[in-house]
Amino acid sequence: MSETSNLNIAVVGGGPGGYAAAFLAADLGMSVTLIDPELNPGGVCLYRGCIPSKALLHVAKLVEEAEQAKNWGVDFAQPKIDLSRLRSWKEGVVKKLTGGLGQLSKQRKVQYVQGMAAFENSTTLRVTKNGGGEDSLTFDKIIIATGSRPAAVPTLKLDSPRMMDSTGALNLEDIPGSLLVVGGGYIGLELGSVYAALGTRVTVVEMLPGLLPGADRDLVAPLHKRLEKMLEAILLNTTVSSVKAEGDGIRVTFEGANVKEREKVFDRVLVSVGRKPNSEIPGLDKTQVKVGPKGFIQVNKQLQTDDSAIFAIGDVVGEPMLAHKASHEGRVAVEAIAGHKVAFEPNAIPAVVFTDPEVAWCGLTETQAEKEGREIKVAKFPWGASGRAVTLDRPEGMTKLLVDPQTERVLGVGIVGAGAGELIAEGVLAIEMAALARDVALSIHPHPTLSETIMESAEVFFGTSTHVYRPKRG
Ligand code: NAD
């Protein structure tokens, strides 16, 4: 893009939404100020979310795989975990990546201000700098990218270092003997898996009837089965009615029809029951920005708020609260500011849960199709029939395509299995390019790889998959 603009813009919040927006704005020739309290851009994702958790999940996978290696005739000794080295490795990863973003920011001549912003009016921000001092700065446009924070539950409020949110859990202060994870969603299952691999007895309590309530049940089933082996217990349809600090633990009371043990003491408790948007920005009431009943800032398809000078992107504007959605929105907002004809209207936003096995999906889900009474055909390829999956000793996976029976267009893709998070990108491309099941079936995939399961699920749709025998009817 060769277009330049002499606009002066501010981005409030330096996460994957904010820095992607700031960098593109600079690339388009705008003068950009990026405001965030951290030393470098990165936000929750890099400092206290996606990145440190994935570093730890990588270690967890290694520990689990070393255990599984017994089945392959390779017997490793019990792992010895040096917690301070593990912590410093994780911190090193964060430092490297956030430092890199700081460099990219300087190279693009983005003014990075370490501080907190408040609105004086629609175009003026009062920035309180970390080192002290305040600046009043005026811009043509402002992009709000303030993200979200862990949701707090009144019954789980307890001032104790043993009570953790995701940030506390990622700090990895110790390897507790026992841990209760409240909430069987993304964070609970990812961080619960990390602690379980490090040797903690982990119990997950989920108020709904299944783990990962947003995902199709057939994708969750293989994960649930593996977690049952890894974890101490998975309590479904159960909530926590009270927590009390007691001696050297937290006494927890459970509530639910199937509860067998009403009270139990845990060394630590991780609360991961969702996130809340950070829309309580000081001075926002001095602008025309509107905030909806759930706390999300209201925006149109160009990510513009009800105040024409202010745009908002990422977790603060709504679900799904995912870094890649935020980055894409950030780029759309900047292009809209630059005067390009753009809109945020993706057909597929991938979701990935980085457990083992990973669960990933994009586009339409079966649950959603059912809810909308939409007719679809589902083609499933079991990984037991994948050569690559069997060589990895991971035959429990499954790949499925959701196809429109009339047009044969691919509407959704769901994958559970090792590496599903990488594989799902092909599904996103297929959906965004309006691929037909035939296109996917006719694209030669490398052998032996797990990617073949996507091609073969398209073959399953036509009843002609090489590795799945379907007896002829009649
Ligand atoms: P979540 O929405 O994924 O899961 C919260 C779970 O807690 C749900 O299953 C819900 O039913 C349950 N719950 C709610 N109240 C409860 C209660 N009182 N008792 C028991 N269970 C209760 O939320 P999260 O795990 O906190 O993660 C927040 C968000 O962060 C996610 O929705 C996601 O957008 C994002 N995130 C993404 C990734 C990723 O992309 N891999 C990883 C971590 C977080």
Side-chain angles (χ1 to χ4, degrees):
M1 237 172 285
S2 60
E3 227 156 311
T4 55
S5 159
N6 50 12
L7 288 171
N8 181 19
I9 78 157
V11 181
V12 182
Y19 77 71
F23 290 2
L24 178 63
D27 290 345
L28 294 183
M30 297 181 202
S31 155
V32 185
T33 302
L34 176 59
I35 304 152
D36 189 281
E38 294 287 352
L39 179 64
N40 279 308
V44 170
C45 172
L46 277 93
Y47 282 99
R48 303 176 284 284
C50 324
I51 294 299
S53 65
K54 261 78 268 174
L56 295 178
L57 277 159
H58 175 63
V59 174
K61 185 153 188 274
L62 181 76
V63 172
E64 290 296 318
E65 206 153 48
E67 176 67 28
Q68 201 185 354
K70 285 196 180 96
N71 302 337
W72 317 327
V74 183
D75 205 341
F76 289 103
Q78 269 306 99
K80 286 195 202 93
I81 313 259
D82 180 337
L83 205 53
S84 85
R85 274 179 79 174
L86 176 57
R87 235 184 274 125
S88 55
W89 177 67
K90 172 205 66 167
E91 278 151 22
V93 169
V94 170
K95 213 165 163 196
K96 194 177 281 174
L97 291 172
T98 52
L101 290 174
Q103 282 298 320
L104 285 170
S105 191
K106 280 195 192 98
Q107 284 163 344
R108 287 180 159 96
K109 310 220 168 2
V110 168
Q111 283 277 346
Y112 186 76
V113 182
Q114 211 184 338
M116 294 293 281
F119 281 89
E120 282 181 1
N121 58 49
S122 299
T123 51
T124 306
L125 293 174
R126 184 166 31 83
V127 181
T128 310
K129 293 192 202 159
N130 274 25
E134 277 190 2
D135 270 343
S136 186
L137 306 166
T138 298
F139 303 92
D140 297 308
K141 303 281 180 200
I142 295 171
I143 299 176
I144 301 174
T146 47
S148 63
R149 61 184 182 282
V153 178
T155 49
L156 296 171
K157 262 212 175 116
L158 178 67
D159 194 13
S160 157
R162 295 176 181 280
M163 295 292 292
M164 308 185 287
D165 58 15
S166 50
T167 308
L170 284 167
N171 284 345
L172 217 63
E173 265 163 40
D174 60 1
I175 301 175
S178 63
L179 168 71
L180 176 69
V181 172
V182 188
Y186 283 75
I187 293 177
L189 298 188
E190 289 185 358
L191 292 181
S193 301
V194 167
Y195 276 91
L198 296 180
T200 299
R201 280 171 281 111
V202 177
T203 298
V204 173
V205 52
E206 165 60 49
M207 68 175 182
L208 293 175
L211 297 174
L212 294 174
D216 282 346
R217 293 303 88 195
D218 55 352
L219 296 179
V220 178
L223 170 64
H224 191 123
K225 206 164 151 201
R226 197 166 163 107
L227 286 177
E228 268 179 338
K229 284 192 207 134
M230 268 180 75
L231 306 181
E232 181 84 352
I234 301 173
L235 311 173
L236 300 175
N237 291 307
T238 307
T239 54
V240 171
S241 52
S242 72
V243 286
K244 214 168 76 192
E246 186 186 282
D248 46 9
I250 304 277
R251 179 170 292 274
V252 177
T253 314
F254 296 109
E255 214 173 74
N258 312 325
V259 171
K260 289 196 189 91
E261 207 175 347
R262 251 183 66 76
E263 284 190 8
K264 205 169 172 188
V265 178
F266 293 89
D267 291 337
R268 282 183 180 266
V269 175
L270 162 63
V271 181
S272 48
V273 294
R275 298 183 64 86
K276 286 255 170 292
N278 289 331
S279 52
E280 304 90 353
I281 304 158
L284 198 64
D285 53 332
K286 295 173 191 157
T287 72
Q288 304 301 312
V289 171
K290 286 207 181 79
V291 178
K294 286 185 172 166
F296 293 116
I297 292 180
Q298 294 179 1
V299 288
N300 63 16
K301 281 190 174 176
Q302 283 70 40
L303 288 313
Q304 190 170 32
T305 68
D306 289 86
D307 191 315
S308 62
I310 303 174
F311 288 67
I313 59 166
D315 288 8
V316 78
V317 303
E319 308 264 4
M321 296 195 190
L322 299 172
H324 43 277
K325 184 214 80 164
S327 308
H328 189 76
E329 283 180 337
R331 296 175 65 89
V332 169
V334 167
E335 292 205 17
I337 291 169
H340 302 172
K341 206 162 175 261
V342 283
F344 180 78
E345 37 193 22
N347 291 313
I349 301 175
V352 181
V353 189
F354 291 88
T355 40
D356 188 20
E358 293 178 353
V359 182
W361 65 96
C362 67
L364 189 66
T365 64
E366 275 192 75
T367 318
Q368 207 183 328
E370 222 164 85
K371 223 187 264 169
E372 294 168 9
R374 199 161 165 180
E375 204 198 330
I376 48 158
K377 227 179 131 186
V378 182
K380 295 186 189 184
F381 184 83
W383 283 22
S386 151
R388 187 64 182 127
V390 175
T391 64
L392 297 169
D393 199 8
R394 300 306 302 267
E396 80 278 17
M398 189 265 289
T399 299
K400 66 173 178 181
L401 295 191
L402 278 66
V403 181
D404 183 320
Q406 265 83 48
T407 61
E408 298 190 346
R409 243 181 93 164
V410 179
L411 301 176
V413 179
I415 307 175
V416 53
E422 303 286 341
L423 295 172
I424 199 65
E426 179 175 347
V428 176
L429 194 65
I431 295 169
E432 290 292 357
M433 301 297 285
L436 303 181
R438 185 66 69 192
D439 297 322
V440 178
L442 288 178
S443 303
I444 299 175
H445 285 60
H447 179 73
T449 65
L450 296 169
S451 73
E452 288 170 292
T453 67
I454 300 174
M455 174 184 71
E456 288 223 33
S457 61
E459 293 173 358
V460 166
F461 174 75
F462 296 107
T464 58
S465 159
T466 307
H467 297 98
V468 176
Y469 174 64
R470 204 178 66 160
K472 296 231 174 348
R473 283 203 207 111

